Each structure stands twice: as C-alpha cells, then as structure tokens.
Amino acid sequence: MPVSSSQIKALLDQKRDAFSAFSRAKFELLHAYHRAWIAFATLSHAQQVTQLDRSPGPVGARPLEEIAVEKGILPFFFAESGPVGDRWTNREQSAQWVQTVLEGITTFAVDGSQISPGKDISIPIALLQIGWFENPHSATRPYQKDVRVDLMTPAELGPNPAQPVERRVNIRRFQMEVARLVEYIDTCEDPERTLVFFDGALVVTFAEAFDQESQTAYVQSILSLLEASDRRRVPLVGYVDTSYAHDLIGMLHHAYGLEATEGIHDAQLLARLMEWGDRTAVFQCDRGGILDQYGSYGDQIAFTYLKTTRDGYPARLEMPRWMWESGSMTQYLNWVRGEVIIGGGYPYGIETADQTAVLQGQDKHLFLRVLQDWADREAINLRLSRKMVSKQRRR
C-alpha cells in the first residue's frame, strides 16, 4: 500500500513541539556561535593564538592569517579582485577577468568511476577507470583528456572480514586517482603556473570509521600527494563543494567555552556573512584524529572557505601549508575563482574530469560482453544471472 499522507501529517502535528524545540535550540546555538565568530575576528592574531593556547590538544583550527576586516570575511571586491573598477554587472566583465587571471595557467584534475562486483557475475571482478583533464588556458596549446583503466581480480577481492569488497574497490580507485595526480606533478613543466585540483578533502577523516589497514592506505596515498606538491612546489587544492566540517566551530568552542556541537558546521556559520568570491582567513586544520597518522604533515594542511555561488554555502578549500607561506595565496585563490566562473559555480576542471571518467550503463554492458567473450575463449567458467543475460540480449 502507498504511504498515508494523512497519517504523516497527523504525526507531524502530534510531534510539533519536539521539532519546534529542536529548531529553536539550534537557532539559539548558531546565533551564539555567530557572535563568537565576530568577537574572535576583532582580536589580533597574537590574541587569537593566546586564547586557543589555553586549551590542550587539538582545537579544530588555528589561524594562520590575520585579516583586519569586519566579520572576519575578506571581500573579493575589492580586496582580491585586482584592477577592477567596479563590481561586475554582466558575464562579459567576469569573462574578461577570468581571461586575465587564467591566461597561461595550466589546471589539472582527475576523477574516477567503477563497476563493482555484483551478484550478476559469478566471478569477483571490478572495473575501474580514472579520467583526467589538463587545460593550459592557452590559444596555442590544446587541452588534454584521457582515461586509464584497471581490473581487480578475485584474489584482490577475496574474503577479508575487516575490509568489505566495496571498500577495497574504493581504495584502489582512490589510489589510482592520487597516483595520476602525483605523476602529473612530478612531470609538469612549469610548476609555478600550474594548479592541481584534488576532488575532495586532503584530511581523510572519513577513513577513521574503517579498519587500520584501510586508514593506512588512504593516509599513505594523501601523504604521497602532499609530498609531491611540497617537493615540486606545485599548487594543490583539495576542493570540497559541500563540506560538513566543523573545525571553526570547534575552534570557537575552545576559545569561548560554547556548547560543543556537531549539529552546526562551518559552512552554516559563514554563509550569511559572505557574498560571491569572499573568503575567510587561512587556518591550519587542527582536528586531531586521522591527522595523527600524517607524521610531519600533521600540521601542514591549511584551509579557507570560499563563496563560489550566490545563494549556496561556501566551498572548503584545503591546501598544503607551504602555499600560504609562499605569499601567493591571493593568486592561487583567484585561479580557483576563475575555474569556478567558467564552470558556473563549480571548478570546470573537476567537472570535466568527472565527465571524462564516468562509467555509464552502456559501459557496464560493454564490459560484461567483453568479459563473457574472453571467458568463453579462455575456458573460464563464467555465469551471468538470467536478469543480466536478458538485459544483454535487449541491448
């Protein structure tokens, strides 16, 4: 039977007070954190550091940059927009700015996709594909798009109670993506005029929920990426479009003794204070947890929040600390802003890499057809489910 809308409405009415109390409490706590953020922004950098040093252990975030601006938000217009006479009023003006900022700057991004083992195939096998996009932003040099494919065998997907099959596939895909980024960083010809995008956070907190072997795999991959960027001084940005991190919330909790909460995230705190292109100061991520496994890079992840759309929450940008220490942060962030303008609110390079890498339904059917033909030729006992055979016939 279909769900009863009348019963749902009745239950919502019955529990109205509980929902109202929750909403009111969250609003009041968010308001308290807003006040704390404004107060923290009025302090000098030395005062901020002193206030946080009173708390032992990780405090969420530690300020690296002092910005003497109202509400702790650095406005794009006209603090970092460069020689712009006025706010843009049309796309042509923003496009001209992008051309000025990105001309001759090479951006590179990688993404991945996979076909995981399923009940439709009798043999455990996974197909992985990564795709990349290199854009030199030049009239004389063409862009480059390509893919790389790999297979995981039954031996690699065999029984391991601590590591479910899907996780092992995800880890391999992650390693492939990072390895390609490292390969590119090691061979790029002009490091100072290159920007590499990593699609996700450089702090792999999500891995804390996994077994130690899985955590180590993720951490070692990220460390190889950080080391390559550090060694060759190639700017690297971990781009998180929808972030639920609460490092700044943790920082304010420690600085002002506010109620600890994971129900409010940094992007919520900042959104209504920012307009397009604005950003926060640069902070060091001091989250603890998985960062304890980063060794000498445990205090080397910096981040800022950048407003990339008119109405949405700001994106979180994570980067090696050396980028902040280089004194070129405005330049690097303007490269990101330029990519976001081209992509209509999301970095064009990451978006194009995703489109290049994605495996769709027709790709799965092609993979199964090739696999079945190969298994027949090699006399390997491969069985497909009746449902899958039927789909194959219809296609």
Side-chain angles (χ1 to χ4, degrees):
M1 291 179 62
V3 66
S4 170
S5 60
S6 61
Q7 289 186 33
I8 294 174
K9 291 176 183 177
L11 287 167
L12 289 171
D13 289 337
Q14 179 183 335
K15 301 177 185 293
R16 181 190 300 113
D17 291 346
F19 286 109
S20 297
F22 172 82
S23 179
R24 184 167 56 252
K26 185 173 182 179
F27 174 80
E28 291 172 355
L29 188 57
L30 178 59
H31 191 56
Y33 272 99
H34 268 294
R35 292 195 301 268
W37 171 261
I38 300 301
F40 192 77
T42 64
L43 302 178
S44 68
H45 183 263
Q47 290 173 319
Q48 292 174 342
V49 171
T50 299
Q51 193 140 339
L52 291 172
D53 282 347
R54 297 170 185 166
S55 298
V59 295
R62 296 185 181 275
L64 296 175
E65 179 181 22
E66 182 172 12
I67 54 173
V69 292
E70 186 181 3
K71 300 180 180 179
I73 302 298
L74 191 67
F76 173 62
F77 295 106
F78 296 93
E80 296 193 316
S81 56
V84 177
D86 202 353
R87 294 176 183 270
W88 304 322
T89 58
N90 54 59
R91 285 194 60 84
E92 287 73 19
Q93 291 175 334
S94 64
Q96 290 173 1
W97 182 87
V98 170
Q99 185 172 8
T100 301
V101 167
L102 283 180
E103 178 67 29
I105 303 301
T106 300
T107 56
F108 186 80
V110 178
D111 204 354
S113 186
Q114 65 207 49
I115 297 175
S116 297
K119 297 178 181 178
D120 293 324
I121 314 175
S122 62
I123 297 176
I125 186 171
L127 177 70
L128 304 98
Q129 176 170 281
I130 61 168
W132 56 87
F133 178 60
E134 179 190 29
N135 188 352
H137 296 100
S138 169
T140 59
R141 293 173 54 205
Y143 66 80
Q144 300 287 335
K145 289 196 292 186
D146 208 344
V147 297
R148 183 174 293 168
V149 179
D150 196 10
L151 286 173
M152 294 185 72
T153 67
E156 296 170 302
L157 297 167
N160 182 346
Q163 270 192 338
V165 169
E166 188 69 21
R167 186 184 305 164
R168 268 172 279 167
V169 177
N170 289 337
I171 290 172
R172 174 67 69 83
R173 170 180 156 181
F174 188 90
Q175 292 170 329
M176 289 176 65
E177 292 176 14
V178 171
R180 182 65 185 99
L181 290 171
V182 171
E183 178 184 308
Y184 183 80
I185 288 173
D186 283 340
T187 57
C188 73
E189 298 178 354
D190 194 356
E192 293 184 356
R193 296 182 63 79
T194 299
L195 175 63
V196 170
F197 281 106
F198 175 74
D199 185 14
L202 299 177
V203 184
V204 291
T205 300
F206 66 87
E208 291 179 3
F210 304 153
D211 62 285
Q212 187 57 54
E213 184 180 351
S214 298
Q215 291 184 34
T216 300
Y218 280 112
V219 170
Q220 290 304 312
S221 280
I222 283 293
L223 290 181
S224 70
L225 183 59
L226 293 171
E227 190 277 330
S229 171
D230 190 13
R231 172 169 37 82
R232 296 218 64 212
R233 284 300 193 262
V234 173
L236 166 69
V237 170
Y239 190 92
V240 186
D241 181 65
T242 305
S243 172
Y244 295 98
H246 39 78
D247 296 332
L248 299 180
I249 295 295
M251 179 188 73
L252 296 173
H253 157 69
H254 285 283
Y256 293 100
L258 295 174
E259 176 186 338
T261 177
E262 293 188 359
I264 300 173
H265 50 84
D266 296 347
Q268 278 180 296
L269 173 73
L270 301 168
R272 72 182 197 181
L273 302 175
M274 307 175 78
E275 296 184 5
W276 187 94
D278 295 352
R279 70 170 177 92
T280 65
V282 177
F283 294 84
Q284 173 203 325
C285 185
D286 188 38
R287 192 181 297 172
I290 200 77
L291 279 175
D292 294 339
Q293 301 181 42
Y294 277 50
S296 61
Y297 285 96
D299 61 354
Q300 294 299 305
I301 308 295
F303 72 91
T304 185
Y305 285 90
L306 177 69
K307 195 75 155 59
T308 57
T309 59
R310 185 183 301 274
D311 301 318
Y313 286 154
R316 178 181 171 104
L317 277 56
E318 297 185 357
M319 63 210 81
R321 185 167 174 164
W322 73 260
M323 290 172 59
W324 153 247
E325 294 172 345
S326 73
S328 300
M329 186 57 65
T330 296
Q331 172 182 274
Y332 299 146
L333 293 179
N334 277 342
W335 292 351
V336 175
R337 290 181 178 107
E339 279 283 303
V340 166
I341 291 172
I342 298 172
Y346 189 76
Y348 181 70
I350 300 178
E351 180 181 36
T352 307
D354 170 74
Q355 295 170 353
T356 304
V358 67
L359 290 166
Q360 300 177 337
Q362 62 189 27
D363 299 307
K364 181 175 183 179
H365 294 297
L366 174 63
F367 167 57
L368 293 177
R369 188 160 57 246
V370 172
L371 175 63
Q372 190 168 30
D373 290 345
W374 175 83
D376 291 342
R377 188 177 70 247
E378 299 295 327
I380 293 175
N381 185 19
L382 170 70
R383 296 187 308 278
L384 301 181
S385 69
R386 291 184 179 180
K387 179 179 180 181
M388 184 56 63
V389 170
S390 176
K391 286 183 177 181
Q392 291 288 96
R393 287 172 179 168
R394 292 198 300 272
R395 288 169 171 80

